[in-house]
Amino acid sequence: MRQYSPDLTPPWKKPNPVPEVPADPGLVVEEPRTGFCGAVIRCEAGTVTLEDRFGKHRVFPLEPGGFLLEGRTVTLVRPKPSVQRPTRTASGSVAVPGARARVARAGRIYVEGRHDAELVEKVWGDDLRIEGVVVEYLEGVDDLPSIVESFAPGPDARLGVLVDHLVPGTKEWRIAQSVTSEHSLVVGHPYIDIWEAVKPASLGIAGWPRVPRGQDWKTGVCRALGWPENTGEAWRGILSRVRSYKDLEPELLGRVEELIDFVTVGCGP
């Protein structure tokens, strides 16, 4: 059996451990074998790149005790990646880290269809949860008068409604006018469908095509753009390209913000 001798070296004679120092950008160190002194500009797996005061770059291996920092021997290590928390929500509002969803208000926002609801959730979802606002969809505006009557809007239960292609003089416009009151607000955007409120540039297309009257608009768009005639799949592709309010037309942004303000300002919790 192998015998091990105890280490009888006095503590004061033992070499001090070489400290590990993160190779953060801007840290100035010297490589003692070459005498090259410079600031860290990049640290990758196994190497560090230094830049001297003349702008010259040199790449060195990350070896134990391989550098001098203010005259002391150190071991450079890769810095830990920092966790970048978003400072803005997708709608452009200031993000509130760790904020919990508020208990749902009595007030509601209705949108015309499922695609509208999914788009509003993707861009304004964080804001709506903090405000406690629930979004539901109508599947058309013909039933809006009965929905408003059943909802019975009031000072602490305001109702906001977003309607597609709300043009003065149309049937949808007359319905919207009939249910608008002090505690219910109906607003609309000029687009035939919520798809059209997504900026063409965000989708990599020159513009939304014109679809002949009498033809289903979404199907016509898919045909004109050479997309598979599966409107559900097409919408999923469109929605995936929307990352923030910057991908939406201002006419939609203003209307949604108006509704959020209407159902939250001056209302009870």
Side-chain angles (χ1 to χ4, degrees), residues 133-213:
V133 177
V134 174
V135 175
E136 301 182 23
Y137 61 91
L138 302 168
E139 289 290 8
V141 298
D142 289 344
D143 296 330
L144 185 55
S146 61
I147 289 173
V148 174
E149 182 180 2
S150 175
F151 186 86
D156 294 325
R158 290 184 171 185
L159 180 64
V161 183
L162 178 69
V163 178
D164 294 344
H165 202 222
L166 191 61
V167 178
T170 61
K171 179 189 72 172
E172 291 80 7
W173 182 81
R174 288 191 292 272
I175 292 174
Q177 291 294 302
S178 72
V179 300
T180 298
S181 69
E182 181 183 0
H183 304 303
S184 63
L185 174 67
V186 181
V187 300
H189 55 74
Y191 308 109
I192 295 174
D193 189 273
I194 198 69
W195 289 21
E196 207 176 10
V198 179
K199 291 180 178 178
S202 298
L203 304 175
I205 60 177
W208 288 103
R210 292 182 177 274
V211 177
R213 284 182 173 274

Side-chain angles (χ1 to χ4, degrees), residues 103-109 132 151 156-159 263 268-269:
V103 175
R105 294 174 182 267
R108 290 286 187 276
I109 290 177
F151 186 86
D156 294 325
R158 290 184 171 185
L159 180 64
V263 300

Side-chain angles (χ1 to χ4, degrees), residues 61-84:
L62 290 175
E63 296 178 343
F67 297 88
L68 297 177
L69 175 62
E70 298 179 349
R72 296 185 304 128
T73 300
V74 297
T75 297
L76 291 186
V77 296
R78 292 186 73 183
K80 294 181 179 179
S82 59
V83 178
Q84 297 292 330

Side-chain angles (χ1 to χ4, degrees), residues 36-69:
F36 189 90
C37 183
V40 173
I41 61 168
R42 184 167 52 253
C43 186
E44 299 171 322
T47 64
V48 63
T49 303
L50 305 182
E51 180 184 58
D52 69 9
R53 60 193 180 94
F54 301 107
K56 184 179 180 180
H57 291 184
R58 288 282 298 273
V59 180
F60 297 100
L62 290 175
E63 296 178 343
F67 297 88
L68 297 177
L69 175 62

